[in-house]
């Protein structure tokens, strides 16, 4: 992952390295002044830069208890550890290392900016304590499950997120999904999210988000209920009806374990449903393109046939006009022997009358051809639009029904767990 020179041996974070790093921060830095004038006092250092040091393991940072900014990018670090005492840390850069899992950050309750860019991380988790997190960089990792985005909904202050270079960023619905499920996000992959995209994303995923909010509210209510029950247990700890502490601890562990299994099941089912939605959407779009092509071909054939009808009508009009004029001339000369109906004979008064009559007939025929063409084109376009809309609506209803089923099933499982007797879990 990193681009450090392989000829250098991995190094240990010992006191010599730390002293050198503090001393090299420059005369303008408070830490540098301290280092030069009074000796190094690690507890007074606010910023520490340890990039490009070939560090394999984070260690010996417990003395920097007031550190605000820590730079550990471009090293060989494989695990996040040794940060337990850095409770005042606000900015942490661990980019360009070999980290495979997010861990060891529970104590960093004041962290606002975290960079894990260009590592080997496959899952976004273990960030629960970072309640002040505003900027999170996870680009160029191996995150492939879109459900990781839902995990980030708990960070209400998160405004900047980078996930480019991960497998999930290749998904067609990637930006829309993130904009919908993280509505407070301002920047995604170093670009500002425009209001138009945010509105479209909200409309597209509205039902799923509503269901998710409902489930989040249920979980929050359940957590509050459990907290209330724990407080009640503490208040009545002395009563004989309460089991001993070891049994309660065992019970709580099992409840947490089973609740975790239920949550994991929810994530799996929702992931499968999302994958199905994407596959069906691709299939529906392909069908829509094909049916539109077929309708276009049908319309071309109709227009071609109607053009032939117009040509035939024009030819008919010319022949009819020629015959009518010849007949008029014969009648005028008394050479027409056939007996004509009175209404037909009344047309052969003069040339203008017969030309107008034939022309009116011609216009009526052309109008009927035009109307028939418009009717066929309008009906086929209307049929196509209705068919495609129905397919899309059916898919939306199917998705809503499936999401609802998943939520109902998960709620049922959770309720079953909540209603179990203590003995059932402990045994």
């Amino acid at each position: 992952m990193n681009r450090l020179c392989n000829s250098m041996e991995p190094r240990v974070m010992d006191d010599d390295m730390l002293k050198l790093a503090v001393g090299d921060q420059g005369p303008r830095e408070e830490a540098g002044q301290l280092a030069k004038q009074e000796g190094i006092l690690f507890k007074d250092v606010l910023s520490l830069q340890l990039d490009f040091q070939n560090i394999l393991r984070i260690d010996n940072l417990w003395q920097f208890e007031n550190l605000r900014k820590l730079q550990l990018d471009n090293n060989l670090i494989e695990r996040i550890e040794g940060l337990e005492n850095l409770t005042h840390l606000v900015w942490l850069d661990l980019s360009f290392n070999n980290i495979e899992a997010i861990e060891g950050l529970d104590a960093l309750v004041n962290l606002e900016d975290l960079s894990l860019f260009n590592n080997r991380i496959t899952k976004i988790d273990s960030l629960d304590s970072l309640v002040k997190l505003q900027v999170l960089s996870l680009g160029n990792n191996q995150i492939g499950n879109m459900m990781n985005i839902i995990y980030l909904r708990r960070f209400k202050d998160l405004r900047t997120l980078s996930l480019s270079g991960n497998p999930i960023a290749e998904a067609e619905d990637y930006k829309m999904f993130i904009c919908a499920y993280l509505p407070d996000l301002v920047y995604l992959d170093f670009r500002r999210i425009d209001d138009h995209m945010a509105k479209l994303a909200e409309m597209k995923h509205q039902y799923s988000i509503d269901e998710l909010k409902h489930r989040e509210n249920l979980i929050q209510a359940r957590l509050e209920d459990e907290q209330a029950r724990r407080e009640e247990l503490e208040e009545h700890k002395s009563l004989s009806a309460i089991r001993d502490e070891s049994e309660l601890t065992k019970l709580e562990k099992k409840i947490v374990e089973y609740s975790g299994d239920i949550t994991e099941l929810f994530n799996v089912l929702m992931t499968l449903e999302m994958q199905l939605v994407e596959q069906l959407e691709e299939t529906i779009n392909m069908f829509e393109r094909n049916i539109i092509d077929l309708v276009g071909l049908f319309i071309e054939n109709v227009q071609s046939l109607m053009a032939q009808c117009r040509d035939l009508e024009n030819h008919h009009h010319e022949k009819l006009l020629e015959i009518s004029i010849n007949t008029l001339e014969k009648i005028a000369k008394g050479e027409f022997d056939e007996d004509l109906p009175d209404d037909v004979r009344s047309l052969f008064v003069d040339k203008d009358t017969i030309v107008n009559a034939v022309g009116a007939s011609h216009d009526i025929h052309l109008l009927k051809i035009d109307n028939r063409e418009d009717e066929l084109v309008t009906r086929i376009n209307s049929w196509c639009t209705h068919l495609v809309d129905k397919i899309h609506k059916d898919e939306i209803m199917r998705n809503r029904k499936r999401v609802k089923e998943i939520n109902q099933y998960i709620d049922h499982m959770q309720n079953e767990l909540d209603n179990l007797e203590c003995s059932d879990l402990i045994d």
Side-chain angles (χ1 to χ4, degrees), residues 55-69:
I55 296 170
L56 182 63
R57 179 183 175 186
I58 304 172
D59 200 4
N60 287 321
L61 293 178
W62 58 270
Q63 305 167 85
F64 295 85
E65 57 190 59
N66 292 308
L67 198 64
R68 299 290 192 278
K69 179 178 180 180

Side-chain angles (χ1 to χ4, degrees), residues 207 392-402:
Y207 184 81
H392 281 291
K393 289 178 181 178
D394 288 347
E395 165 54 17
I396 291 173
M397 293 305 297
R398 184 209 62 80
N399 173 245
R400 290 182 177 181
K401 183 178 178 182
R402 183 56 52 84

Side-chain angles (χ1 to χ4, degrees), residues 406-419:
I406 292 173
N407 278 281
Q408 289 176 341
Y409 177 67
I410 295 299
D411 289 342
H412 171 72
M413 295 288 290
Q414 189 66 52
N415 289 332
E416 288 288 310
L417 176 62
D418 294 341
N419 294 331

Side-chain angles (χ1 to χ4, degrees), residues 51-109:
D51 54 331
F52 294 98
Q53 297 292 326
N54 261 33
I55 296 170
L56 182 63
R57 179 183 175 186
I58 304 172
D59 200 4
N60 287 321
L61 293 178
W62 58 270
Q63 305 167 85
F64 295 85
E65 57 190 59
N66 292 308
L67 198 64
R68 299 290 192 278
K69 179 178 180 180
L70 176 59
Q71 190 169 341
L72 285 167
D73 59 285
N74 290 280
N75 285 292
L76 305 173
I77 299 168
E78 297 178 350
R79 289 190 60 188
I80 305 174
E81 57 187 344
L83 304 177
E84 295 81 9
N85 291 342
L86 308 185
T87 56
H88 294 94
L89 204 63
V90 175
W91 189 92
L92 175 61
D93 187 355
L94 284 165
S95 56
F96 292 94
N97 279 286
N98 297 321
I99 299 168
E100 296 183 358
I102 301 175
E103 57 185 339
L105 300 173
D106 294 343
L108 309 186
V109 294

Side-chain angles (χ1 to χ4, degrees), residues 146-153 163 168 177-178 181-182:
M146 196 72 80
M147 297 306 294
N148 283 270
I149 305 303
I150 296 179
Y151 171 78
L152 296 176
R153 285 173 59 84
L163 286 169
I168 60 172
F177 188 90
I178 292 180
Y181 283 87
L182 301 178

